[in-house]
């Protein structure tokens, strides 16, 4: 008989880094949350690249020899203070690294017993190691940090994702490359948002927006690559949002628009304020949508746009359309 292999419930945990980077020698806090231990030991392994210094850990017991975090309860948080003495972009990882869980070596696999043939057919043998569950966040220490980012948010509206962020200082800043990932590992560029500061420098609060009109079904991860005028860059903290792929909350036609008139089909009879944004999140047109349900978009150049309808009582409907 072939022994049964364990089928454990994977613990639920995460790690969150700071909103943006800082100068070398300055400590940054990373928060590790253990939401559910799955009935297994509440121990996570902390992996930091060489050169990154662990200053302190609060909320969990830290073993500096084995690099483990032991949590006091199934739902608890730990704050890890880290510093790099030199310029660095580092992936900080926590791993559920327990023996015999998600890590089976040399498992021989057979077919089920066949009463008539009287034997079990050999199917194969496992090779290597199944990766153990892990989560990671990025920390940046950069002498020439171009931007001080104080807020970065992602929100889902129908079948689009709106990103917004605020800076309170920019130095030699060129702009922001918006990046998306489906697994928080491999990243793709969505679009570039040019900085609003004069000649790349600002000491006042500046706000930015970007709309992902075609998010992936399921989990979407976003981050900002903050680019300096000389090409150097740093990364923001990651934001995650889930899109279930529901149908659009409104219908627009003809789509693509060819004659400058866009008809909008929305279920109820409320009056709406219509806002049209380009894919960088800039509002390019606004009109009142009355009972005629028609918008004049003849002034818009060729491209893809996001339409937001806002009623007096706060109902928001979102869709997108193409102008040829």
């Amino acid at each position: 008989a072939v022994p049964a292999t364990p089928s454990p419930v994977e613990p639920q945990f995460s790690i969150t880094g700071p909103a943006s980077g800082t100068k070398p020698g300055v400590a940054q806090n990373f928060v590790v949350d253990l939401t559910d231990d799955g009935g297994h030991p509440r121990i996570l392994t902390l992996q930091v690249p060489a050169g990154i210094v662990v200053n302190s850990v609060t909320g969990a017991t830290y073993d500096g020899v084995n690099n483990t975090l032991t949590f006091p309860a199934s739902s608890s948080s730990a704050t890890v203070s880290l510093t790099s003495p030199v310029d660095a972009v580092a992936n900080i990882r926590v791993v559920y690294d327990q023996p015999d869980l998600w890590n089976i070596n040399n498992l021989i696999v057979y077919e089920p017993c066949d009463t008539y043939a009287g034997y079990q057919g050999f199917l194969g043998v496992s090779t290597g190691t199944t990766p153990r569950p892990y989560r990671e966040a990025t920390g940046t220490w950069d002498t020439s940090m171009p931007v001080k980012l104080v807020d970065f948010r992602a929100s889902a509206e129908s079948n689009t994702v709106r990103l917004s962020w605020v800076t309170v200082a920019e130095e030699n800043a060129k702009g922001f490359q918006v990046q998306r990932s489906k697994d928080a590992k491999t990243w793709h560029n969505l679009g570039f948002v040019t900085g609003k500061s004069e000649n790349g420098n600002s000491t006042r609060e500046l706000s930015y927006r970007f709309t992902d009109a075609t998010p992936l079904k399921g989990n979407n991860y976003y981050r900002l690559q903050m680019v300096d005028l000389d090409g150097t860059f740093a990364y923001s903290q990651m934001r995650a949002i889930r899109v279930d792929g529901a149908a659009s909350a409104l219908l627009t036609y003809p789509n693509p628009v060819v004659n400058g008139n866009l008809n909008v089909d929305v279920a109820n009879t409320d009056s709406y304020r219509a806002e049209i944004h380009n894919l960088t999140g800039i509002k390019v047109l606004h009109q009142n949508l009355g009972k005629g349900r028609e918008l004049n978009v003849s002034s818009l150049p060729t491209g893809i746009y996001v339409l937001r309808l806002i009623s007096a009582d706060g109902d928001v409907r979102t869709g997108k359309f193409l102008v040829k």
Side-chain angles (χ1 to χ4, degrees):
V2 178
T5 59
S7 180
V9 176
E10 181 176 323
Q12 301 299 310
F13 61 96
S14 64
I15 180 171
T16 304
S20 64
T22 187
K23 304 287 186 180
V26 178
Q28 298 197 80
N29 289 332
F30 293 75
V31 177
V32 181
D33 289 312
L34 178 65
T35 306
D36 187 347
D37 61 18
H40 302 292
R42 297 187 292 268
I43 303 174
L44 298 175
T45 299
L46 177 67
Q47 296 180 353
V48 298
I52 305 300
V53 179
V54 180
N55 304 311
S56 63
V57 176
T58 58
T61 302
Y62 177 60
D63 181 344
V65 176
N66 297 307
N67 299 317
T68 56
L69 301 170
T70 302
F71 291 81
S74 181
S75 180
S76 53
S77 297
T79 299
V80 181
S81 173
L82 301 175
T83 302
S84 173
V86 298
D87 285 4
V89 177
N91 287 330
I92 312 304
R93 179 179 291 189
V94 285
V95 185
Y96 195 79
D97 189 12
Q98 293 300 308
D100 302 322
L101 300 178
W102 304 280
N103 206 28
I104 303 167
N105 291 304
N106 301 319
L107 172 65
I108 300 175
V109 183
Y110 293 91
E111 292 177 340
C113 293
D114 189 317
T115 304
Y116 299 98
Y119 66 89
Q120 291 176 292
F122 174 73
L123 294 181
V125 59
S126 70
T127 58
T129 299
T130 303
R132 295 176 178 178
Y134 70 89
R135 311 288 185 266
E136 63 184 10
T138 301
T140 301
W141 290 265
D142 190 344
T143 304
S144 58
M145 277 296 297
V147 170
K148 184 176 181 181
L149 186 71
V150 295
D151 191 31
F152 177 36
R153 300 183 182 185
S155 59
E157 289 189 6
S158 299
N159 58 340
T160 67
V161 173
R162 289 170 57 84
L163 306 175
S164 61
W165 61 97
V166 176
T167 68
V168 293
E170 298 184 10
E171 181 179 349
N172 298 319
K174 181 179 181 180
F176 307 85
Q177 184 69 254
V178 181
Q179 299 183 332
R180 184 184 69 196
S181 173
K182 65 179 181 180
D183 55 9
K185 300 174 187 177
T186 303
W187 296 88
H188 301 280
N189 294 337
L190 291 182
F192 188 82
V193 179
T194 303
K196 295 181 179 180
S197 54
E198 184 177 355
N199 299 320
N201 299 300
S202 172
T203 56
R204 61 189 177 91
E205 184 176 293
L206 297 173
S207 299
Y208 297 87
R209 291 186 297 178
F210 183 90
T211 299
D212 182 5
T214 56
L216 305 172
K217 185 176 181 180
N219 290 327
N220 290 258
Y221 300 91
Y222 297 92
R223 71 181 183 185
L224 302 175
Q225 187 186 59
M226 301 173 287
V227 184
D228 207 339
L229 289 172
D230 63 5
T232 58
F233 58 86
Y235 290 108
S236 73
Q237 184 182 359
M238 181 177 62
R239 292 290 180 260
I241 197 85
R242 182 173 180 81
V243 177
D244 292 325
S248 176
L250 57 87
L251 174 65
T252 57
Y253 63 93
N255 195 355
V257 179
V258 292
N259 60 1
N261 292 322
L262 178 69
N263 294 289
V264 180
D265 186 359
V266 61
N268 59 38
T269 59
D270 291 348
S271 293
Y272 286 90
R273 182 179 79 255
E275 295 181 352
I276 297 175
H277 301 256
N278 61 23
L279 291 185
T280 64
I282 298 174
K283 184 166 64 176
V284 295
L285 193 65
H286 66 273
Q287 299 177 23
N288 288 325
L289 183 68
K291 294 182 178 180
R293 303 306 203 205
E294 185 176 271
L295 297 174
N296 183 355
V297 295
S298 57
S299 62
L300 298 179
T302 299
I304 299 175
Y305 296 89
V306 176
L307 170 64
R308 298 181 71 232
L309 300 182
I310 305 100
S311 71
D313 61 2
D315 179 38
V316 179
R317 307 294 180 94
T318 308
K320 58 182 180 290
F321 62 93
L322 170 67
V323 173
K324 279 193 172 182

